[in-house]
């Protein structure tokens, strides 16, 4: 009986945390919508005049660089499901387990004008299994008539994984394992 009461108490606390998370997310989405209306760049991803919209983008320079991703309103199919977000909210409270340093780097490769390259990475803390950096690399494509004019579709073609910490200690620079994926 004591175990059952403990489990119910923990489940109640977890449900309250999850509800608070989703309420906060709605407030954040509303604020993001308000900020988008104040965006000084009407077309941050303007299609290049010498390339077709399907072949090239000319982003405003302020868009390029390294960004800390603290919130994504429309993640991948994996991250935007209610199940995935619930798991993320619950695991964030487990000691030694979690997600850190979610970063997106955007740059234009001079070898491929009109192509905005992206590297999205995050550090996954998996308790005794260590901390693993997972990166996915790809490029942005003009969305054309599929989406709004100020959006792009991302095609990922490479996945990278490397061990960067073990038992709470940072490891020296280790090589990453690269896998080609069909974007």
């Amino acid at each position: 009986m004591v175990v059952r009461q403990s489990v119910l108490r923990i489940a109640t606390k977890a449900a309250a945390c999850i509800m608070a998370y989703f309420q906060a997310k709605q407030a954040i989405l509303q604020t993001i919508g308000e900020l988008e209306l104040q965006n000084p760049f009407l077309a941050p991803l303007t299609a290049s005049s010498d390339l077709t919209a399907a072949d090239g983008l000319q982003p405003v320079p302020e868009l390029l660089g390294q960004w800390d991703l603290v919130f994504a309103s429309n993640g991948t199919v994996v991250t935007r499901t209610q199940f995935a977000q619930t798991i993320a909210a619950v695991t964030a409270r487990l000691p030694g387990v979690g997600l850190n340093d979610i970063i997106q780097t955007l740059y234009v490769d001079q070898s491929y004008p009109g192509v905005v390259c992206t590297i999205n990475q995050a550090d996954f803390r998996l308790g005794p299994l260590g901390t693993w950096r997972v990166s996915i690399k790809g490029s942005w494509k003009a969305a054309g008539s599929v989406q709004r004019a100020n959006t792009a579709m991302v095609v990922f073609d490479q996945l990278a994984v490397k061990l960067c910490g073990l038992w709470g200690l940072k490891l020296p620079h280790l090589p990453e394992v690269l896998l080609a994926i069909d974007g």
Side-chain angles (χ1 to χ4, degrees):
M1 188 65 147
V2 172
V3 172
R4 182 172 188 258
Q5 289 174 343
S6 294
V7 169
L8 286 173
R9 192 169 39 253
I10 291 169
T12 301
K13 286 181 181 179
C17 290
I18 292 167
M19 287 305 298
Y21 170 80
F22 288 113
Q23 289 171 350
K25 182 176 179 180
Q26 290 306 314
I28 291 168
L29 286 173
Q30 181 178 351
T31 302
I32 287 173
E34 293 168 8
L35 287 171
E36 285 177 341
L37 294 174
Q38 299 175 33
N39 182 359
F41 306 108
L42 297 177
L45 298 171
T46 306
S48 170
S49 59
D50 58 340
L51 298 170
T52 67
D55 292 332
L57 298 171
Q58 294 297 328
V60 294
E62 292 83 357
L63 185 64
L64 303 176
Q66 189 174 49
W67 296 85
D68 290 335
L69 297 181
V70 294
F71 183 81
S73 57
N74 292 315
T76 65
V77 172
V78 174
T79 61
R80 82 178 100 166
T81 64
Q82 176 120 8
F83 175 75
Q85 292 186 7
T86 301
I87 294 296
V90 171
T91 58
R93 303 205 181 273
L94 297 175
V97 176
L99 192 58
N100 289 64
D101 300 327
I102 306 169
I103 297 170
Q104 180 178 62
T105 304
L106 301 173
Y107 62 97
V108 174
D109 186 336
Q110 299 308 318
S111 305
Y112 303 99
V115 176
V116 177
C117 300
T118 183
I119 300 171
N120 293 1
Q121 72 181 39
D123 290 351
F124 290 84
R125 291 182 292 116
L126 303 175
L129 301 176
T131 300
W132 294 82
R133 177 163 297 142
V134 177
S135 304
I136 189 162
K137 301 172 184 181
S139 56
W140 289 17
K141 308 284 185 203
S145 61
V146 177
Q147 298 177 357
R148 297 185 324 234
N150 64 345
T151 60
M153 294 187 294
V154 183
V155 177
F156 294 106
D157 55 11
Q158 193 175 60
L159 176 72
V161 179
K162 82 174 189 176
L163 181 64
C164 54
L166 195 56
W167 301 305
L169 302 172
K170 286 192 173 192
L171 295 175
H173 182 70
L174 297 174
E176 60 185 8
V177 176
L178 297 173
L179 303 168
I181 56 176
D182 186 19

